[in-house]
Amino acid sequence: MIVYVLYGGQSPEHEVSLKTAATVLKALNTQKHEVYPIYISREGLWTGLGRMPEDGLNAENLMPVSRHADAASSLGEVLKAEFSLPGEKVALPLLHGANGEDGTVQGLLELLGIPYVGNGVLSAAMTLDKDVTHRLAGLAGIRQTAYEIVTRREWEEDQAGVLSRLKKRGLLPGYVKPATLGSSIGISRCEDEAALEAGIEEALRHDVKLVIEREVPGREIQVAVMGNDRPQASLPGEFLHGVKFFDFRAKYADPTLRMSIPAEIPPAAAEEIRESAIRAYEALCCSGLARVDFFLGEDGRVYLNEINALPGFTGTSMYPVMWERTDGTTYAALIEKLMDYALERGRTRASVGGAR
């Protein structure tokens, strides 16, 4: 089978995508599959690296320089040289954030008729948008912390009014988040009005819509979900760290970071988290995979934090380890399972004329 691995991208999470791709490419069975890495630069230029040799790629070869000056011509070459190859195909879009995780690349793959790992166009767009996630999870009756939405237009027209509204809602201490970014990029923890104002200004550098959430004192618990029509949830896991705000550096550069899988929480809380994860997965029409994050509050209640429809697959990522601790699935076997789900979803859609 031909396996296309798409990575890089124009999102601020470009570096995270590179880390994920390096790990996935190393794990893919090149004797079983023909692997074609496809790099998308920060400028949106596409470059096919050709068929990956059986001994893999060096890290320095993952970022080739495109010979094209624009995205259209670079994509055209990849369409002709890589995507037009005959045979059974599947794509691994390892692109985090906008222009990759938001349904855009998924739409291209739909047009090409290539099955792909992960969510479809609609669910990819919904899960990346924290505002939409909150709305749909609320309709599904899943408990969440208090939150407000702030747009760039609102902030530019009435900063004082926005700050007053957020304070009246009791959102301090709280978090300011760009609506469509992950990996804690652009997120600020705010304890007072001055920090809140600075956090909004920082987040607006990354997005035109923000989500401001009240802090939930307690612990952050994650669970991995996998499957199409019958999703399953892993044992819950927890990152052990010594910081109040689990930011980008803490996630990817803290040498003291440790995983606790299964998380040491009461059995009733663990079961509620697993059940709520599947409910959230289904409410957002997810397929393939997602990591669902919760807060276990000091009050003993479980609150949904967010859904990450394309969780990291780096050496320090929680998602693959949770499955290994749950049922013994190795990293390489997990990739194979996810590709099988992609092919299953592709066959199902083809049987009904591709209806979403």
Side-chain angles (χ1 to χ4, degrees):
M1 185 167 63
I2 295 171
V3 179
Y4 301 113
V5 179
L6 282 61
Y7 63 97
Q10 295 173 273
S11 163
E13 298 177 76
H14 185 98
E15 293 295 333
V16 181
S17 177
L18 292 177
K19 292 177 182 290
T20 292
T23 314
V24 169
L25 288 168
K26 186 176 180 180
L28 281 167
N29 187 341
T30 53
Q31 295 182 337
K32 181 179 180 182
H33 306 302
E34 297 179 17
V35 180
Y36 286 83
I38 298 172
Y39 173 64
I40 305 172
S41 74
R42 296 180 187 275
E43 296 73 35
L45 302 178
W46 294 59
T47 305
L49 282 70
R51 183 175 178 179
M52 187 174 76
E54 290 190 6
D55 58 354
L57 288 172
N58 295 324
E60 58 268 21
N61 296 331
L62 287 176
M63 300 175 64
V65 177
S66 176
R67 59 190 183 86
H68 295 279
D70 61 272
S73 58
S74 68
L75 175 56
E77 181 172 294
V78 170
L79 289 172
K80 183 176 181 180
E82 267 84 14
F83 286 143
S84 63
L85 292 169
E88 187 176 32
K89 307 168 184 175
V90 68
L92 286 162
L94 307 178
L95 299 158
H96 301 290
N99 296 321
E101 195 178 346
D102 57 358
T104 50
V105 166
Q106 288 78 6
L108 171 64
L109 295 169
E110 293 279 1
L111 292 173
L112 296 174
I114 298 175
Y116 53 90
V117 168
N119 290 277
V121 175
L122 176 64
S123 53
M126 294 192 300
T127 51
L128 187 64
D129 191 317
K130 296 178 178 64
D131 172 23
V132 176
T133 296
H134 273 307
R135 294 173 192 241
L136 293 178
L139 290 174
I142 300 170
R143 186 185 297 112
Q144 305 170 83
T145 187
Y147 72 95
E148 286 284 326
I149 306 302
V150 173
T151 65
R152 176 182 289 174
R153 179 189 58 79
E154 289 176 315
W155 182 248
E156 290 175 346
E157 293 181 355
D158 186 12
Q159 293 187 15
V162 168
L163 291 172
S164 176
R165 170 163 60 96
L166 299 179
K167 287 191 294 182
K168 284 180 180 177
R169 282 279 283 156
L171 301 185
L172 291 175
Y175 291 86
V176 179
K177 303 179 178 180
T180 59
L181 269 184
S183 297
S184 297
I185 295 172
I187 297 180
S188 300
R189 180 180 183 273
C190 309
E191 294 188 352
D192 54 36
E193 184 174 329
L196 180 60
E197 184 173 350
I200 291 174
E201 292 285 355
E202 169 61 23
L204 286 173
R205 295 177 56 244
H206 302 279
D207 207 335
V208 296
K209 181 170 67 170
L210 312 181
V211 179
I212 291 86
E213 300 170 349
R214 179 189 297 159
E215 183 176 64
V216 178
R219 300 157 63 183
E220 185 174 5
I221 309 296
Q222 305 181 357
V223 64
V225 182
M226 178 168 54
N228 292 335
D229 297 331
R230 296 182 178 85
Q232 297 178 326
S234 72
L235 294 172
E238 179 181 18
F239 276 118
L240 302 180
H241 53 83
V243 295
K244 274 192 174 182
F245 174 28
F246 195 35
D247 60 8
F248 184 89
R249 184 192 174 283
K251 287 182 177 180
Y252 297 104
D254 184 355
T256 66
L257 189 65
R258 293 188 296 114
M259 297 180 190
S260 175
I261 306 172
E264 295 183 3
I265 58 177
E271 188 58 30
E272 181 180 353
I273 286 172
R274 296 178 78 178
E275 291 177 355
S276 297
I278 292 177
R279 285 171 58 202
Y281 190 88
E282 293 176 334
L284 274 293
C285 307
C286 294
S287 58
L289 78 160
R291 194 195 70 232
V292 190
D293 301 344
F294 294 88
F295 294 116
L296 178 57
E298 293 176 351
D299 58 3
R301 293 185 173 188
V302 171
Y303 300 82
L304 176 68
N305 178 16
E306 63 181 16
I307 300 177
N308 189 327
L310 185 64
F313 269 74
T314 71
T316 59
S317 297
M318 181 79 81
Y319 187 93
V321 183
M322 283 193 285
W323 280 116
E324 186 173 19
R325 302 280 176 86
T326 298
D327 59 12
T329 301
T330 64
Y331 190 104
L334 179 60
I335 300 298
E336 294 288 336
K337 277 189 177 183
L338 294 174
M339 291 193 293
D340 287 342
Y341 282 125
L343 295 170
E344 175 189 84
R345 180 173 175 273
R347 288 192 294 268
T348 299
R349 288 172 57 77
S351 72
V352 292
R356 284 172 171 73

